[in-house]
């Protein structure tokens, strides 16, 4: 099964065991992937459902639903202060591979990049491609960039505090290491809900003191990622790696 090509579809494309392929998908399957009539591939809707499908003309026939267990036992939301240049592309790609559920790009006081609307489309496309490549059941949600304080209230407003942990990564200062805060985490909660972890990583130059204080006021715990100063594009990957190591057993 792992050798089959995978494509992401919209849930609305699945109708009565048929997948109504777009022209772009027809071109991708036929011209790029070189699939022929009768060849099989995997369709994923980005919401946790996968199907084994067979190419029939310009559409696809669903053969069976697939059970794929590639998701983490916790839901991770990553708040990332946008790095300069195209660095966020790699953050989206790597963190999707690592299992992030939601990425919330934020503009901090020291953010150098102010992205165009086309950037958001690009990031969502990268997330979909990375989810396919890493055989994930879900395509992460990429939110629109907002100011850091707005992002704090938006993200926390959707959480149940009984099931959530919030951390802000701070490069300098005497704070506990993230790995020590995550011990014995990752189990399902008593009410059967999924545990949520929100982790915020800063821009070049780090968070300002005011931003850290604002995050603490929203229930975030300041943590360290180690003794070295990490680049803005490295910190999210390190944070995600630590969480997956602690939770995926």
């Amino acid at each position: 099964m792992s050798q089959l090509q995978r494509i992401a579809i919209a849930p609305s494309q699945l109708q009565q065991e048929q997948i109504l392929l777009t022209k772009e998908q027809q071109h991708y399957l036929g011209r790029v992937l070189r699939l022929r009539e009768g060849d099989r591939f995997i369709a994923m809707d980005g919401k946790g459902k996968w199907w084994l499908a067979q190419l029939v003309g310009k559409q696809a026939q669903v053969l069976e639903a697939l059970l794929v267990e590639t998701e983490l036992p916790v839901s991770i939301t990553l708040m990332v202060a946008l790095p300069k240049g195209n660095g966020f592309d790699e953050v989206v790609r790597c963190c999707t591979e690592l299992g992030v559920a939601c990425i919330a790009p934020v503009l901090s006081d020291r953010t150098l990049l102010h992205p165009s609307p086309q950037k958001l489309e690009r990031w969502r496309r990268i997330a979909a491609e990375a989810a396919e490549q890493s055989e994930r059941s879900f395509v992460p949600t990429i939110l629109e960039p907002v100011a850091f304080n707005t992002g704090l209230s938006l993200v926390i407003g959707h959480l149940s505090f009984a099931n959530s942990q919030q951390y802000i990564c701070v490069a300098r200062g005497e704070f506990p290491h993230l790995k020590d805060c995550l011990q014995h985490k990752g189990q399902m909660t008593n009410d059967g809900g999924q545990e949520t972890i929100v982790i915020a990583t800063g821009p070049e130059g780090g968070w300002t003191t005011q931003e850290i204080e604002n995050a603490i006021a929203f229930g975030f715990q300041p943590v360290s990622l180690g003794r070295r100063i990490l680049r803005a594009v490295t910190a999210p990957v390190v944070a995600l790696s630590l969480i997956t190591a602690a939770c995926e057993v």
Side-chain angles (χ1 to χ4, degrees):
M1 193 67 70
S2 61
Q3 299 303 309
L4 292 179
Q5 300 288 353
R6 296 170 296 279
I7 68 163
I9 65 169
S12 59
Q13 289 180 251
L14 182 64
Q15 296 182 15
Q16 298 177 335
E17 302 303 308
Q18 295 278 333
I19 298 173
L20 307 180
L21 299 171
T22 65
K23 287 186 177 179
E24 291 77 15
Q25 289 168 337
Q26 291 171 25
H27 178 270
Y28 180 70
L29 289 169
R31 298 292 179 86
V32 180
L33 299 182
R34 302 292 183 187
L35 297 190
R36 300 172 181 269
E37 179 91 9
D39 283 350
R40 297 180 175 191
F41 63 93
I42 294 172
M44 45 183 276
D45 70 353
K47 299 180 181 299
K49 294 181 179 178
W50 287 42
W51 298 273
L52 178 63
Q54 186 174 38
L55 203 55
V56 180
K58 295 183 178 180
Q59 309 304 334
Q61 176 72 38
V62 172
L63 301 178
E64 62 178 297
L66 301 174
L67 177 64
V68 180
E69 297 177 344
T70 52
E71 296 301 314
L72 295 170
V74 295
S75 176
I76 303 172
T77 292
L78 180 65
M79 295 183 69
V80 188
L82 283 168
K84 60 188 176 183
N86 290 324
F88 197 67
D89 291 7
E90 197 59 28
V91 171
V92 171
R93 184 174 291 109
C94 290
C95 292
T96 296
E97 290 180 31
L98 286 166
V100 74
C102 176
I103 301 178
V106 293
L107 305 171
S108 75
D109 291 343
R110 291 175 174 154
T111 294
L112 301 174
L113 175 72
H114 292 273
S116 65
Q118 288 75 26
K119 285 281 189 180
L120 182 60
E121 296 173 20
R122 174 179 171 80
W123 297 331
R124 287 174 173 167
R125 187 169 65 250
I126 290 171
E129 291 169 355
E132 290 182 25
Q133 181 271 322
S134 54
E135 299 189 14
R136 286 195 56 184
S137 302
F138 293 91
V139 176
T141 301
I142 312 291
L143 302 179
E144 292 189 16
V146 294
F148 180 53
N149 286 342
T150 304
L152 286 173
S153 47
L154 277 176
V155 170
I156 299 303
H158 288 88
L159 296 179
S160 163
F161 278 91
N163 293 359
S164 66
Q165 311 163 56
Q166 294 88 236
Y167 303 103
I168 181 167
C169 300
V170 183
R172 292 177 172 85
E174 295 298 320
F175 298 109
H177 199 289
L178 175 61
K179 67 177 174 59
D180 297 324
C181 301
L182 291 167
Q183 289 177 350
H184 311 300
K185 302 297 182 183
Q187 291 79 26
M188 297 296 280
T189 53
N190 292 333
D191 62 4
Q194 190 178 38
E195 192 170 18
T196 299
I197 296 175
V198 182
I199 186 130
T201 61
E204 290 87 357
W207 300 112
T208 64
T209 301
Q210 187 61 56
E211 287 171 333
I212 296 169
E213 290 175 358
N214 290 346
I216 292 171
F218 274 94
F220 281 70
Q221 177 183 348
V223 294
S224 166
L225 293 178
R227 296 177 183 174
R228 289 148 303 285
I229 303 300
L230 302 177
R231 293 169 60 228
V233 295
T234 308
V237 178
V238 172
L240 262 290
S241 300
L242 289 166
I243 295 171
T244 57
C247 298
E248 199 167 35
V249 293

